[in-house]
């Protein structure tokens, strides 16, 4: 029997059954006997010394079990980790879970109340007495680096945590007598990830063992780090990521709340729960982006790039988070994008400010790089009076040149930029829209048409452990999977990645179904619980399929290897003569011989008749550590109507042609692209985390921080080219971040293109009506 | 403490509640109906949307005492006959959810949308769901799902009447 391959089919997701019926297990849904609720008291100051703190008045409140300040955990709370010391001399101040002497951003926790319900806990916070002596807040990166600036960490003597330099090629030669030099400054505004599920943590102590449920992307990393911080042995900590409602990077940290709940649960011997409110989350979930990019290119008159120079300031916020310092480095290798050039110079300084710490947010470093280079390619096209597609074409790596080692030192294994671009241009009707644009410009239409282009690539599948080591990252990049054949021939797979919306249950089962020749419905995928998934490095950096999926393939291969040996024995044939196809073993040349893998599994489980020395199990463990990153790419085209009278921008058409390699599930891939586009467009047009002059975040709610709703977004036209990755047996590349990385420059590029006749070459993100209108007004010399 | 009597997903409950208790906390913490999640504290996200006497409300902005004498339908009250409601089925078919956190509210809001307009255009669906945020899907497949459910539900209604 030959069945249609699962890989490539649009399987409807098995996850949906519980999600569409309200049977989901979010962390906040967990109720345990005797469980108490925790509320955090947080700093109202951006920067202040704590001169006195007294939690005792809260303890007398009705329903209050306990209250603790930082001092109460001084000997055991340690410091929150940063796993990425990007330079040897990186300034790395302690980041206490509960502040003791000084607070450095609004929202930093200083005390907790434990009470019998969430209302009582919240009420009692007001009884805690804290005396603050305000200190001057540091809010501007450039000011922060000036001599004599106020300091976020007074004892460190500087607001700069590191400067990381990366020089490739002969920069001097590239810039000497360059006929064309273009320099720009772009601002990557601060973003708030805004996963729909707020963070939540439950800790249950039993004896000297602890189970933590957390809305996290990284249960394995969390378990290891909690053990290091609390000195509770790792085997006595079980971390469960139950259903997790989105992450986008915001749930990769090891957070103050997780550590404090662990310590309080240990102290009290009771199960505890904390669930953040949205406004609490906006203050304390790490933020993303927030960079100042000074970027310059040197080129010849024919448009050929010679060199690229990038100087970044990256706002770390008040403390270094888990991978925060490394985020700009992930971009460092991407500024050259799909283009050939002779030299690259990249310098990044990480800066402390009295703001919420920053860390990875969907794309992490790569959206910033892609934005800057794509915007600059548009500027080059204008300078040379070339079509922006043409200037890209003159510089990109041609499909016959792969594998290609870029100026940044990465080897792109495969790609076809010509094909993706051609497909996108046709779907977009590029020439027709350009003609309409010319006509509307000619007519002086108050609503101008703009066309934006992004021919992006990115590096994902984080990451080869060896490369992470070279970059001084404190962890590996491999992934793990186990595949078990049950007695009845059904399959259980355990994966090390931990999904929060990506559909791993469905996708991984598709891979296994094809590899083992079993029905998709017969495969159950387990994850997110360190008691069942004992090994793994979790989910971020579009790694789950490109690395975790390959670990699954490797585990299946091991199962088949064992099953083949057992099958040969059962069929009384030599192992060399055994073939496997469509889920059954057969003896080569013997037409009627067929032994389904399920029968082999049953026989191995019985163990009555096994080859000598064979253990009664087909189960396997496997890992995969990639040799290289994977490099999705594509061409995105965006058309916007810009009302020059109101500044209002409306996306009229958006075409995304992505090449994510081999596609396992087209339905899920399209969904990932849609969501990625929405977040990239949100950066371009809607979202910004804003602080006032005193360091208060003014965008603490979804009324102020404008996550787009359905009418704010267009219907996307998505399509694909499929150039398989050559660096893994599935040929897959990863799709989680591509849409976000590609879309922001396409949208802003379109806005700027619409306004180009007015002499406008930049509008700062997000391109709100007010900002667009102001840019037009300024360009017209103040006459609105 | 006021006493309320409220029907939730077909079951009648009587409870003493604090006047300030939010309906969503009553559902989740008192009745254990945790199918309705909470996504914000300012009535912007719509994750907690339920039907009150058939009309959609954000249960984070309704007090439990305001539900006294009313009938509440949550996501857990759909498809209780063992069959998915056509709206649930459409969300599954069209891959209209990823993490699924907004989904209960999105489904309940979509039901109210179709109650008002049984045959909405794409733009009308987008406008109608403006009060419900999704961070994963970019809304494209949600719009498709609601369109599909509209067709399915109108088809079913026709079958009943014909």
């Amino acid at each position: 029997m030959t069945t249609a391959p699962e890989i490539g089919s649009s399987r409807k997701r098995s996850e949906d059954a519980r999600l569409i019926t309200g049977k989901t297990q979010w962390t906040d849904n967990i109720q345990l006997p005797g469980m108490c609720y925790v509320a955090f008291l947080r700093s109202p100051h951006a920067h202040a010394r704590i001169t006195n703190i007294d939690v005792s008045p809260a303890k007398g409140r009705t329903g209050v079990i306990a209250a603790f300040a930082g001092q109460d955990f001084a000997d055991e709370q340690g410091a929150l980790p940063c796993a990425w010391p990007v330079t040897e001399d990186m300034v790395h101040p302690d980041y206490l879970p509960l502040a003791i002497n000084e607070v450095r951003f609004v929202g930093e926790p200083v005390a907790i109340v434990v009470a019998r319900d969430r209302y009582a806990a919240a009420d009692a916070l007001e009884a805690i007495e804290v005396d603050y002596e305000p200190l001057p807040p540091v809010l501007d990166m450039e000011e922060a680096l000036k001599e004599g600036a106020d300091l976020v960490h007074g004892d460190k003597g500087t607001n700069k945590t590191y400067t990381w330099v990366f020089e490739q090629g002969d920069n001097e030669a590239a810039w000497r007598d360059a006929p064309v030099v273009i320099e720009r400054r772009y601002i990557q505004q601060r973003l708030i990830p805004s996963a729909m599920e707020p963070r939540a943590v439950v800790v249950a102590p039993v004896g000297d063992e602890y189970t933590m449920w957390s809305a996290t992307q990284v249960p394995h990393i969390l378990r290891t780090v909690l053990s290091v911080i609390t000195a509770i042995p790792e085997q006595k900590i079980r971390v469960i990521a139950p259903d997790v409602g989105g992450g986008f990077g915001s749930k990769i940290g090891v957070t103050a709340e997780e550590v404090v709940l662990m310590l309080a649960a240990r102290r009290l011997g009771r199960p505890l729960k904390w669930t953040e409110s949205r406004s609490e989350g906006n203050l304390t979930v790490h933020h993303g982006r927030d960079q100042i990019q000074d970027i310059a290119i040197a080129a010849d008159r024919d448009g050929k790039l010679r060199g690229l120079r990038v100087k970044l300031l990256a706002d770390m916020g008040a403390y270094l988070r888990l991978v925060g310092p490394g985020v700009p480095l992930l971009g460092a290798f991407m500024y050259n994008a799909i283009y050939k050039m002779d030299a690259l110079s990249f310098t990044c300084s990480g800066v402390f400010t009295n703001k919420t710490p920053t860390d990875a947010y969907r794309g992490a470093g790569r959206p910033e790089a892609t934005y800057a280079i794509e915007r600059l390619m548009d500027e080059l096209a204008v300078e040379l009076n070339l079509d922006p597609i043409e200037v890209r074409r003159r510089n990109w790596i041609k499909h016959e040149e792969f594998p290609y080692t870029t100026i940044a030192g990465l080897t792109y294994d495969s790609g076809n930029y010509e094909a993706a671009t051609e497909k996108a241009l046709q779907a977009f009707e590029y020439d027709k829209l350009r003609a309409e644009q010319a006509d509307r410009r000619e007519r002086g239409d108050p609503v101008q048409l703009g066309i934006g282009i992004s021919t992006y690539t990115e590096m994902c599948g984080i990451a080869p452990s060896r490369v992470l080591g070279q970059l001084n990252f404190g962890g590996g990049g491999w992934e793990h999977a186990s595949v078990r054949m049950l007695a009845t021939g059904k399959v259980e797979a355990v994966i090390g990645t931990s999904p929060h919306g990506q559909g791993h249950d469905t996708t991984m089962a598709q891979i296994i179904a094809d590899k083992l020749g079993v029905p998709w419905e017969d495969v159950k995928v387990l994850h997110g619980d360190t008691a069942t998934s004992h090994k793994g490095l979790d989910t971020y950096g579009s790694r789950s399929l490109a690395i975790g999926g390959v670990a699954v393939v490797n585990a299946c291969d091991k199962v088949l290897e064992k099953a083949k040996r057992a099958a040969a024995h059962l069929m009384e044939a030599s192992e060399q003569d055994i073939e496997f196809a469509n889920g059954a073993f057969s003896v080569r040349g013997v037409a009627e011989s067929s032994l389904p893998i399920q029968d082999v599994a049953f026989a191995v489980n019985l163990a009555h008749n096994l080859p000598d020395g064979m253990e009664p199990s087909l189960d396997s463990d496997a890992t995969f550590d990639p040799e290289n990153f994977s490099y999705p790419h594509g061409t995105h085209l965006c058309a916007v109507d810009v009302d020059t009278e109101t500044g209002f921008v409306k996306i009229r058409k958006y075409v995304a042609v992505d090449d994510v390699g081999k596609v396992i599930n087209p339905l899920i891939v399209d969904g990932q692209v849609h969501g990625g586009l929405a977040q990239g467009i949100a950066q371009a047009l809607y979202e910004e985390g804003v602080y006032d002059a005193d360091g208060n975040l003014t965008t603490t709610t979804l009324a102020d921080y404008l996550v787009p709703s359905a009418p704010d977004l267009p219907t996307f036209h998505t399509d694909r080219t499929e150039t398989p990755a050559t660096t893994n047996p599935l040929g897959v590349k990863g799709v989680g971040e591509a849409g976000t990385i590609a879309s922001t420059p396409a949208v802003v590029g379109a806005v700027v293109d619409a306004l180009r006749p007015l002499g406008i070459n930049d509008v700062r993100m997000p391109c709100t009506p007010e900002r667009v209108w102001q840019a037009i007004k300024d360009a017209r010399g103040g006459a609105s | 403490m006021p006493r309320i009597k409220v029907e939730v997903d077909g079951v009648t409950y009587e409870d003493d509640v604090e006047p300030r208790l939010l309906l969503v906390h009553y559902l989740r913490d008192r009745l254990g109906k945790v199918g309705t999640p909470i996504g914000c504290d300012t009535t912007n996200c719509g994750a907690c949307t339920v039907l009150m006497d058939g009309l959609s409300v954000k249960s984070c902005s309704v007090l439990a005492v305001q539900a006294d004498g009313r009938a509440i339908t949550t996501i857990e009250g759909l498809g209780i006959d063992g069959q998915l409601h056509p709206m649930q089925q459409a969300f599954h078919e069209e891959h209209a959810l990823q993490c699924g956190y907004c989904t209960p509210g999105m489904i309940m809001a979509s039901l109210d949308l179709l109650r008002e307009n049984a045959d909405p255009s794409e733009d009308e669906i987008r406008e109608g769901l403006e009060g419900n945020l999704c961070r994963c899907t970019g809304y494209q497949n949600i719009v498709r799902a609601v369109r599909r459910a509209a067709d399915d539900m109108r088809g079913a209604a026709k079958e009943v009447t014909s």
Side-chain angles (χ1 to χ4, degrees), chain B residues 3 8 22 64 79 88 90 101-102 109 112 118 143 146 152:
Chain B
R3 188 164 187 81
V8 181
L22 299 176
Q88 292 171 311
Y101 200 79
C102 75
D112 197 31
V143 174
V146 176
D152 292 350

Side-chain angles (χ1 to χ4, degrees), chain A residues 60 96 102 118 145 149 258 270 387 413 587 622 651 662 670 698 701 716 757:
Chain A
L96 304 185
E102 197 167 319
R118 57 179 106 226
L145 294 178
E258 286 160 331
R270 285 173 177 269
D387 185 277
D413 60 306
V587 182
I651 296 179
K662 182 78 184 162
D670 280 344
T698 61
T701 74
F716 311 115

Side-chain angles (χ1 to χ4, degrees), chain A residues 255-512:
Chain A
T255 63
E257 292 83 2
E258 286 160 331
V259 173
V260 171
L261 256 77
M262 194 84 169
L263 298 176
R266 176 162 70 179
R267 187 76 61 90
L268 298 171
R270 285 173 177 269
L272 301 179
K273 179 196 276 189
W274 165 77
T275 303
E276 76 186 357
S277 66
R278 176 64 55 183
S279 41
E280 192 179 18
N282 276 18
L283 286 170
T284 57
V285 170
H286 71 243
H287 294 174
R289 315 282 191 262
D290 207 345
Q291 297 180 357
I292 299 172
Q293 306 172 291
D294 287 312
I295 176 167
I297 45 173
D300 290 323
R301 291 297 320 171
D302 64 358
K304 286 276 178 57
L305 294 175
R306 295 164 60 124
L308 179 61
R309 192 174 61 220
V310 183
K311 287 186 181 167
L312 279 192
L313 295 181
D315 194 336
M316 296 291 112
Y319 301 97
L320 301 180
R321 296 278 301 214
L322 193 63
V323 300
V327 168
L329 275 60
L330 290 173
F333 303 93
M334 282 288 111
Y335 276 90
N336 53 295
I338 64 171
Y339 309 117
K340 295 181 279 190
M341 60 187 71
D342 303 322
L344 169 68
S345 167
F346 175 92
T347 307
C348 172
S349 293
V351 184
F352 290 118
T353 61
N354 289 110
K355 297 180 185 176
T356 300
T358 61
D359 205 329
Y361 169 56
R362 202 170 192 173
R366 292 154 287 159
E368 297 94 312
T370 304
Y371 178 83
I373 185 65
E374 288 302 290
R375 291 288 318 280
L376 217 50
M377 292 306 279
D378 287 349
E379 296 302 309
L380 181 62
V382 170
E383 171 70 25
L384 298 174
N385 201 25
L386 288 171
D387 185 277
I389 296 283
E390 177 57 24
V391 83
R392 286 166 167 83
R393 191 176 277 135
R394 289 184 188 184
N395 285 287
W396 72 39
I397 302 156
K398 295 180 175 55
H399 71 275
E400 65 270 19
E401 292 177 295
F402 290 93
Y404 183 89
T405 300
T406 70
I407 189 63
L410 297 174
T411 300
Y412 294 176
D413 60 306
S414 70
N416 192 331
Y417 310 138
E418 300 93 324
T421 302
E422 196 46 48
K423 208 168 193 178
L425 290 172
Q426 286 190 15
F428 192 70
E429 299 184 292
Y430 184 78
D431 293 336
K432 201 170 145 191
L433 280 170
R434 281 286 181 213
E436 181 190 328
Q437 179 183 50
D439 176 57
R440 281 163 67 177
R441 281 181 179 175
E442 178 79 14
R443 285 191 282 115
D445 189 335
V447 180
Q448 283 290 312
L449 173 65
I451 295 169
I453 296 150
S454 175
T455 51
Y456 78 101
T457 188
E458 58 136 335
M459 52 189 263
C460 70
I462 308 283
S465 300
R466 178 179 50 85
V467 176
L468 291 178
Q470 286 163 1
L471 291 170
N472 218 18
F473 181 71
W478 48 265
E479 199 41 77
H480 179 265
S482 306
V483 172
R484 314 197 273 248
M485 294 295 303
L486 306 180
T488 54
K490 309 295 184 196
V491 183
E492 247 176 16
V494 183
I495 58 173
T497 58
S498 187
H500 32 283
Q502 294 91 339
H504 292 181
D505 298 24
T506 303
T507 310
M508 298 298 186
Q510 288 180 268
I511 295 170
I512 293 164

